[in-house]
Each structure stands twice: as structure tokens, then as C-alpha cells.
Amino acid sequence: MTGSDGKKGPISSAADWVRAACRFATDRTDFRRNLLVNVGLFAAGVWVARNLSDFDLMSSQPVT
């Protein structure tokens, strides 16, 4: 969808969405974007560490 000013309207395809997400994630000049991306990556890492690991770091370890 193109408006009268030549700018695109809503994102129309998956490729446009991926392109917009990559542009959003790699913009180095916007502090708020960088903060949001870094917090999101940290949260994803915490989720992976908590849900995909079979060992509990807080439990007592067996004495060998």
C-alpha cells in the first residue's frame, strides 16, 4: 500500500517484516532501540537457560 506521499503503509509481506526487524535491530544510533533489543536478547537467554537445561544450579550437589 502506497500513500499519496510515496511512503509505504502497513507492512505487507513477511519479507518486509523481516527486513524491518533487521533494520530495527541493527540501528546503532538509537539508545532506546538498543536497550530494547539487548533486554530482549537477555530475556531470551534466561528463558533458554531456565527451560532447556536438565540441571538445577541452585540444588545441592551430590558428594563424591
Side-chain angles (χ1 to χ4, degrees):
M1 294 174 47
T2 304
S4 61
D5 59 356
K7 292 187 178 180
K8 292 179 97 173
I11 297 174
S12 58
S13 71
D16 290 339
W17 187 87
V18 170
R19 191 176 301 116
C22 290
R23 191 176 307 124
F24 175 83
T26 58
D27 184 13
R28 296 180 182 208
T29 60
D30 192 349
F31 175 76
R32 284 181 291 177
R33 282 187 184 175
N34 288 336
L35 182 63
L36 180 66
V37 168
N38 287 333
V39 168
L41 290 173
F42 176 76
V46 168
W47 184 87
V48 166
R50 289 183 58 127
N51 291 305
L52 298 181
S53 61
D54 291 335
F55 53 90
D56 185 7
L57 295 175
M58 297 300 291
S59 66
S60 60
Q61 300 298 316
V63 178
T64 56

